[in-house]
Amino acid sequence: MALPLLLPLLAVGPASAAEPAPLPLPLGSVRSVHPGDTLTVTAASGQAVNGDTINSPVLQKAGRMRMTAPRLTAAVTIACDARPGTYPLTLTSAGAARPAEHAAPWAHVRVE
C-alpha cells in the first residue's frame, strides 16, 4: 500500500544535486552569465601573481588569485541582483599602493 506513495519520490532523484562546475574565464574573454553564476578566473604564470585581486561592480565580492600549479585561479560569483549589461573584470596587483590606478582589464561578462 505504501509503495505507490513512494514512487513519485524515487523518480525525483537525490535531494542534493551536484552544483554545476564554475565557468572558466581566461584573459581577454567575454562570457555570457546569469545572476548567481560562479566563474573561475584562470591565469598562466606571468599573467598574474598570488594575491592579485579580480574586481568588478557586478561581483558579490572581489576574488583573490591563488596558486593552483601550474595556474593561478580565483572563484568569483555574479551578484544575484546584477542587472543585464556588459561589465569589465579587472586584475589589480597585490602590491599596488593605489589599486584603482593600477587595475588592468582582464575579461568582460555579459549578464543576461
Side-chain angles (χ1 to χ4, degrees):
M1 215 45 176
L3 186 57
L5 296 174
L6 293 175
L7 287 177
L9 295 175
L10 295 174
V12 173
S16 61
E19 291 194 25
L23 302 169
L25 192 67
L27 177 65
S29 62
V30 177
R31 177 170 288 282
S32 293
V33 297
H34 295 95
D37 281 353
T38 299
L39 307 169
T40 299
V41 178
T42 56
S45 180
Q47 291 178 325
V49 297
N50 200 39
D52 283 358
T53 305
I54 296 290
N55 294 291
S56 179
V58 75
L59 299 177
Q60 274 185 331
K61 65 178 185 175
R64 187 149 328 262
M65 299 299 280
R66 297 285 180 226
M67 179 57 79
T68 310
R71 301 198 174 277
L72 290 111
T73 61
V76 295
T77 302
I78 304 299
C80 291
D81 60 353
R83 302 186 81 143
T86 301
Y87 299 87
L89 276 73
T90 56
L91 176 70
T92 304
S93 172
R98 302 182 74 179
E101 293 179 6
H102 299 283
W106 182 264
H108 288 82
V109 293
R110 185 174 35 252
V111 177
E112 298 179 343

